[in-house]
């Protein structure tokens, strides 16, 4: 029941973490009619420039989270490097988290995500979850694979960090023990990928869902470098993907944006993973659709209704700007015809995500050429796939 302490629509929203996602939430705050207070580790963090208010502190610091909670009506997240126990404590004391700690667990703990999805009959890679290389099920599991497994940390990985492709059995054991120091380790079958796709889904407080169209994603070294709308899925695959995304969203019951990443294989779609926050594969929605993922996320977590989304152009391409061997030029990226350049305000470092470039068009080739030209001018280290 709504009461004075828990209004139906929250205007003061807190964001845990102050990276580029919180920065772009800050840019969308006015259109979503909310005021953001960001929990930043430092005043140099990316989101400090765009969010109305700043609370200094770490995402896993109980006292800092309490200070944030005192300033806002609802708290949401820029990343999943959080402590679920602390978040549960906050909820028990009446703090509203959206998504809730129960929903966030799917994103924070990949082993939990895998077990839950498998138990719900959702298609996931065949996997074994272990705590050390001495696990008695390990030899048989490795024997059953036609290639060496992919080894993943259950917690703390992102952008391919925490995902390892060992090249020998010995390396597999060594990697397991290294990652096991931080928790459970997932070994999974190496998939022969036809492509990778992702879908952003927004859940409103009343449980209604809005689906963005699926996109094709291109990775390099485990990091997404390019996103293409429309995806290369055929109609039957798109319908199947939509059904799977809906099942995932209904299972997780998180309020706000979630992004579901899929492997496309000859045997069909397989769910790779899910994130419970605005996502890199949804950045193209800022200019490419009638309502960006950031506005929708803020509308959802603040308890507002959601807008239907429709693409504004037939084609869109987003390319991530990753720090190259020397700093690039933001000005020359901005001079490329027909591009939208987003700078995250981060200092240059090789391999660091510094921004992204989006281009729109009536056909796929021109936006792709333009987006890559813009990203390269700015400093992209990766080569076009
Ligand atoms: P992160 O959470 O760091 O983004 P992912 O689990 O999404 O890591 O893996 C990053 C990338 O590594 C994927 O997008 C895919 O290209 C590749 N990858 C991950 N798991 C597998 C697998 N089982 N088989 C083949 N490629 C994989």
């Amino acid at each position: 029941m709504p009461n004075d302490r828990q209004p139906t629509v929250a205007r003061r929203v807190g964001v845990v973490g102050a990276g580029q996602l919180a920065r772009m939430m800050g840019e969308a705050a006015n259109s979503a009619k909310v005021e953001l207070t960001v929990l930043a580790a430092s005043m140099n963090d990316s989101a400090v420039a765009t969010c109305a208010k700043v609370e200094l502190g770490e995402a896993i610091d109980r006292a800092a989270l309490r200070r944030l909670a005192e300033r806002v009506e609802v708290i949401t997240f820029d990343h999943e490097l959080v402590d679920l126990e602390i978040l549960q404590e906050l909820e028990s004391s009446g703090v509203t988290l959206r998504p809730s700690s129960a929903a966030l667990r799917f994103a924070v703990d990949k082993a939990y995500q895998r077990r839950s999805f498998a138990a719900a009959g959702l298609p996931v890679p065949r996997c074994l979850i272990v705590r050390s290389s001495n696990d008695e099920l390990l030899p048989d599991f490795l024997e059953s694979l036609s290639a060496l497994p992919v080894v993943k940390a259950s917690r703390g990985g992102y952008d391919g960090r925490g995902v390892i492709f060992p090249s020998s059995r010995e390396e597999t054991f060594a990697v397991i023990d290294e990652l096991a120091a931080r928790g459970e380790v997932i070994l999974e079958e190496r998939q022969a990928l036809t492509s990778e796709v992702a879908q952003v889904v927004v859940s409103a407080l009343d449980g209604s869902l809005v689906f963005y169209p699926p996109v094709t994603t291109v990775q390099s070294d485990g990091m997404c470098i390019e996103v293409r709308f429309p995806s290369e899925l055929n109609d039957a695959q798109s319908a199947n993907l939509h059904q799977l995304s809906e099942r995932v969203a209904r299972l997780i019951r998180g309020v706000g944006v979630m992004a579901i990443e899929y492997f496309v294989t000859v045997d069909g779609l397989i769910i790779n993973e899910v994130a419970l926050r605005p996502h890199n594969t949804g950045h193209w929605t800022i200019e490419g659709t009638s309502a960006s993922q950031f506005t929708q996320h803020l509308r959802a977590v603040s308890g507002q209704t959601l807008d239907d989304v429709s693409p504004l152009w037939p084609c869109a391409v987003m390319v991530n700007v990753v720090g190259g061997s020397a700093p690039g030029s933001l000005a020359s990226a901005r001079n490329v015809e027909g591009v939208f350049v987003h700078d995250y305000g981060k200092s240059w470092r090789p391999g660091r995500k510094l921004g992204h470039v989006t281009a729109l068009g009536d056909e796929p080739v021109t936006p792709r050429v333009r987006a890559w030209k813009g990203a390269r001018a700015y400093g992209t280290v990766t080569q076009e796939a």
Side-chain angles (χ1 to χ4, degrees):
M1 286 285 287
N3 58 35
D4 288 348
R5 289 191 58 232
Q6 187 102 25
T8 311
V9 173
R11 293 295 169 203
R12 288 175 291 123
V13 175
V15 187
V16 173
Q20 65 262 25
L21 300 176
R23 181 185 180 97
M24 289 183 270
M25 286 185 219
E27 289 165 351
N30 275 345
S31 68
K33 299 192 176 63
V34 296
E35 179 193 76
L36 293 191
T37 303
V38 72
L39 180 62
S42 131
M43 289 306 280
N44 295 325
D45 284 0
S46 180
V48 168
T50 65
C51 289
K53 295 180 178 166
V54 181
E55 180 65 52
L56 280 176
E58 300 288 338
I60 52 169
D61 177 346
R62 189 180 268 104
L65 287 162
R66 288 224 169 270
R67 288 198 303 276
L68 177 68
E70 275 161 24
R71 298 176 69 166
V72 299
E73 295 154 284
V74 57
I75 291 180
T76 192
F77 301 87
D78 158 275
H79 60 71
E80 48 269 329
L81 303 176
V82 291
D83 182 325
L84 290 173
E85 278 182 27
I86 297 178
L87 297 184
Q88 280 157 5
E89 278 173 30
L90 287 174
E91 285 175 319
S92 305
S93 66
V95 176
T96 304
L97 305 181
R98 294 185 185 140
S100 67
S101 64
L104 267 177
R105 187 163 177 211
F106 283 89
V108 171
D109 182 345
K110 276 190 188 179
Y112 173 76
Q113 184 189 124
R114 274 293 153 79
R115 289 187 182 108
S116 308
F117 285 3
L122 290 161
V124 289
R126 199 155 64 85
C127 69
L128 178 73
I129 298 164
V130 300
R131 288 188 173 275
S132 87
S133 63
N134 293 325
D135 191 288
E136 57 181 20
L137 298 177
L138 187 55
D140 282 352
F141 180 74
L142 292 178
E143 265 338 292
S144 74
L145 301 176
S146 54
L148 287 161
V150 182
V151 186
K152 297 184 177 180
S154 180
R155 291 172 184 249
Y158 64 97
D159 283 348
R161 283 164 234 192
V163 175
I164 293 144
F165 294 78
S167 53
S168 68
R169 206 176 158 98
E170 294 65 41
E171 192 188 346
T172 306
F173 288 119
V175 164
I176 292 171
D177 288 331
E178 194 185 314
L179 295 182
R182 290 190 273 129
E184 288 186 308
V185 179
I186 305 167
L187 284 90
E188 68 186 35
E189 191 163 39
R190 231 176 254 216
Q191 308 291 320
L193 307 180
T194 314
S195 65
E196 295 185 61
V197 293
Q199 183 161 39
V200 169
V201 182
V202 202
S203 308
L205 198 51
D206 67 2
S208 56
L209 301 175
V210 168
F211 295 83
Y212 282 91
V215 290
T216 291
T217 68
V218 182
Q219 340 288 322
S220 172
D221 288 334
M223 189 196 274
C224 173
I225 50 165
E226 179 185 340
V227 170
R228 297 179 202 149
F229 165 77
S231 77
E232 286 140 28
L233 296 177
N234 62 34
D235 288 350
Q237 288 171 316
S238 288
N240 183 21
L241 177 121
H242 190 97
Q243 281 179 350
L244 291 173
S245 295
E246 178 157 7
R247 284 173 63 195
V248 169
R250 300 259 177 244
L251 177 71
I252 294 178
R253 298 161 63 90
V255 177
V257 161
M258 75 176 66
I260 309 159
E261 296 179 57
Y262 295 87
F263 297 141
V264 186
T265 74
V266 286
D267 298 323
L269 293 168
I270 296 178
I271 300 169
N272 172 25
E273 65 170 348
V274 63
L276 280 140
R277 51 172 168 73
H279 196 252
N280 199 175
T281 60
H283 291 355
W284 71 281
T285 66
I286 298 173
E287 293 89 9
T289 67
S290 51
S292 92
Q293 63 163 349
F294 297 100
T295 308
Q296 296 273 60
H297 183 71
L298 294 177
R299 289 183 65 91
V301 302
S302 59
Q304 302 177 58
T305 54
L306 300 178
D307 294 323
D308 278 338
V309 281
S310 48
L312 299 176
W313 286 79
C315 298
V317 175
M318 189 253 17
V319 175
N320 278 330
V321 175
V322 183
S325 51
S329 158
L330 188 54
S332 39
R334 288 193 166 129
N335 279 337
V336 174
E337 190 186 346
V339 296
F340 300 93
V341 179
H342 292 258
D343 172 42
Y344 300 159
K346 295 179 175 181
S347 57
W348 164 85
R349 194 169 65 216
R352 189 177 206 194
K353 258 190 213 170
L354 302 175
H356 73 264
V357 179
T358 300
L360 309 169
D362 290 320
E363 45 72 42
V365 178
T366 309
R368 191 154 180 244
V369 169
R370 287 177 168 174
W372 272 100
K373 196 172 171 194
R376 282 214 194 83
Y378 191 2
T380 256
V381 76
T382 38
Q383 291 305 305
E384 186 172 353

